Amino acid sequence: MKTIGLGLEQLLGQKQLKKPAPNLGERELEVMKILWDQEVLSARDVLTLCGESSLSLSTVQSTLERLHRKELISRQKQGRHYVYRAIVSRSTIIGQLLGDIADQFSEGDIAPMISGFVSYVDQESARQNKSLLPDPILKSLQAAEDGHD
């Protein structure tokens, strides 16, 4: 039945509804990165792996609760506490973000986004390669770019 529905949407020219990327705060993103790198962690484990020494266990627990309500992590009771695991992969969220950007800037057309990404990679690659060059060569390249030979 689901495949028939998708076929009808395509025939009628309707856009397939997709799930937008979740809004993640800075702390939520930090916790997600920790959970993506580890298998299963308790709130205390997450606190230990957080770089911020001013965080309390209750702050980490409330962050984990928010991520659980957003359906990004699962939790399972283990003794007197919960253990948490990421159930949405990093690549899934990146894909959702890229889809959101394509929708926002080019009505869902990904070609301009790919072109922009290639331009970005070219610029970053050139910048990184230039930083590896010896100073005399780098100065002559900069002079050539500025129109001075």
Side-chain angles (χ1 to χ4, degrees), residues 19 22 24 27-43 46 60-76 82-90 93:
K19 190 174 182 179
L24 294 176
R27 187 166 293 125
E28 290 172 328
L29 183 56
E30 181 182 357
V31 169
M32 285 303 297
K33 287 177 183 178
I34 290 169
L35 289 172
W36 283 323
D37 290 341
Q38 306 295 317
E39 269 300 301
V40 177
L41 295 172
S42 69
V46 172
V60 171
Q61 288 170 326
S62 64
T63 302
L64 288 164
E65 178 60 28
R66 282 194 310 276
L67 291 169
H68 179 69
R69 282 192 309 245
K70 290 180 180 184
E71 299 179 353
L72 298 174
I73 64 173
S74 67
R75 68 180 181 194
Q76 182 178 1
Y82 286 107
V83 290
Y84 300 88
R85 151 188 328 228
I87 56 174
V88 176
S89 70
R90 186 184 319 239
I93 291 181

Side-chain angles (χ1 to χ4, degrees), residues 4 18 48 74 82 88 100 102 108 111 122 125:
I4 294 172
K18 65 175 186 64
T48 302
S74 67
Y82 286 107
V88 176
D100 291 350
D122 285 345
S125 177

Side-chain angles (χ1 to χ4, degrees), residues 72-130:
L72 298 174
I73 64 173
S74 67
R75 68 180 181 194
Q76 182 178 1
K77 192 82 164 170
Q78 206 174 63
R80 294 177 51 188
H81 65 278
Y82 286 107
V83 290
Y84 300 88
R85 151 188 328 228
I87 56 174
V88 176
S89 70
R90 186 184 319 239
S91 62
T92 297
I93 291 181
I94 290 171
Q96 290 171 335
L97 287 168
L98 292 173
D100 291 350
I101 291 169
D103 288 344
Q104 185 177 6
F105 289 98
S106 58
E107 290 78 41
D109 184 9
I110 63 167
M113 197 169 65
I114 292 171
S115 174
F117 180 73
V118 169
S119 295
Y120 169 77
V121 169
D122 285 345
Q123 290 170 359
E124 280 300 301
S125 177
R127 186 186 62 75
Q128 288 175 1
N129 288 336
K130 282 183 181 179

Side-chain angles (χ1 to χ4, degrees), residues 11-30:
L11 286 173
L12 297 174
Q14 296 175 344
K15 261 190 163 178
Q16 184 179 351
L17 297 177
K18 65 175 186 64
K19 190 174 182 179
N23 290 326
L24 294 176
E26 194 173 315
R27 187 166 293 125
E28 290 172 328
L29 183 56
E30 181 182 357

